Amino acid sequence: MPHNPHAQFDETVLELIEHSPIGAAPATPSHRDALARLYASHQIYADADHKEGHVTARSLARRPSFHAGNLDALIAGEIAPEALEANAPIFDRYVASLLVERRAKAESFRLLVAGRPAHHRKHGGVLAHDPVHTLFFVPGAGPNVGLPGNYLYGSMLQLSTDPVSSGWAIHVHDSDDGVAHFDAPAMADVLAKLQELLASAPFHLSEMEAIGFVLK
């Protein structure tokens, strides 16, 4: 295996970032070169919580992901998809995981990320469900920074209300216009892909092409 002449210095820069309260690194030419290598190898991302700061992938690996609390029950076939936990409490858990001073900014994304509660309707006495849409959060970044706490957010969603012909998808977003998506004909396919996604975090959106996602 060829020796990487930059490995030791790059490791030092990673440690500097992790020990800095604002994710900072010195601005010398050698440090800038190290940062470029670390960004290219997805070992660091731009820090969503500190302007011009950086955050390491290995520090994000210690952060939790958030999804419907009964997702495992759906995967096991024990509940119907309509019984998945609502998006609002999933968003609540994400916000509660953040430092107090970051929660107000996170709350400003609530409507965009979690949406409004679904209102089920009756047609001729039959309860009609909206298409399934379940929220999740994973540590990472995209072309733009993630949400506060350095989180990407996404959803597994049913593309129509027809239980037989509806396709399914997973969409993953950064804090702005970075999006990756995966489409499949059956819920089982997107559930398997969602499990793979949750197990792969943290990641940059550009890395998701390797597991079958398409970048927009």
Side-chain angles (χ1 to χ4, degrees):
M1 183 175 178
H3 173 66
N4 178 358
H6 305 297
Q8 185 172 354
F9 187 72
D10 290 356
E11 176 63 27
T12 298
V13 174
L14 286 171
E15 292 178 358
L16 286 172
I17 292 169
E18 290 178 342
H19 287 92
S20 167
I22 58 172
T28 68
S30 57
H31 284 88
R32 288 198 297 269
D33 290 345
L35 290 172
R37 291 190 295 269
L38 293 169
Y39 271 102
S41 61
H42 304 299
Q43 294 185 69
I44 60 172
Y45 311 128
D47 191 343
D49 299 322
H50 302 101
K51 187 177 181 180
E52 299 183 358
H54 319 281
V55 61
T56 69
R58 66 190 186 189
S59 68
L60 293 185
R62 298 190 286 269
R63 299 188 183 180
S65 296
F66 301 95
H67 53 74
N70 55 353
L71 181 64
D72 288 343
L74 176 64
I75 293 168
E78 298 169 355
I79 62 170
E82 294 82 7
L84 281 167
E85 181 183 26
N87 288 339
I90 302 171
F91 191 90
D92 290 343
R93 289 197 296 275
Y94 152 66
V95 173
S97 75
L98 303 175
L99 295 176
V100 172
E101 60 267 25
R102 294 177 191 155
R103 293 178 185 175
K105 184 175 181 182
E107 280 289 349
S108 71
F109 289 95
R110 180 179 288 270
L111 186 59
L112 171 68
V113 173
R116 295 181 175 87
H119 297 288
H120 302 315
R121 305 170 301 280
K122 284 189 176 181
H123 296 283
V126 178
L127 187 65
H129 290 277
D130 290 328
V132 174
H133 179 282
T134 187
L135 181 65
F136 61 87
F137 296 86
V138 289
N144 312 288
V145 296
L147 297 182
N150 295 288
Y151 276 90
L152 299 168
Y153 72 94
S155 56
M156 185 188 84
L157 61 151
Q158 187 179 15
L159 298 178
S160 80
T161 56
D162 189 322
V164 176
S165 63
S166 176
W168 290 76
I170 299 173
H171 295 172
V172 187
H173 306 257
D174 59 24
S175 64
D176 197 347
D177 58 358
V179 185
H181 70 92
F182 173 84
D183 299 334
M187 182 181 70
D189 299 321
V190 293
L191 281 174
K193 185 60 64 174
L194 179 56
Q195 290 175 281
E196 182 180 8
L197 188 69
L198 294 171
S200 301
F203 48 78
H204 190 278
L205 284 180
S206 64
E207 297 178 276
M208 296 174 65
E209 290 180 308
I211 58 172
F213 279 76
V214 177
L215 303 183
K216 289 186 178 179

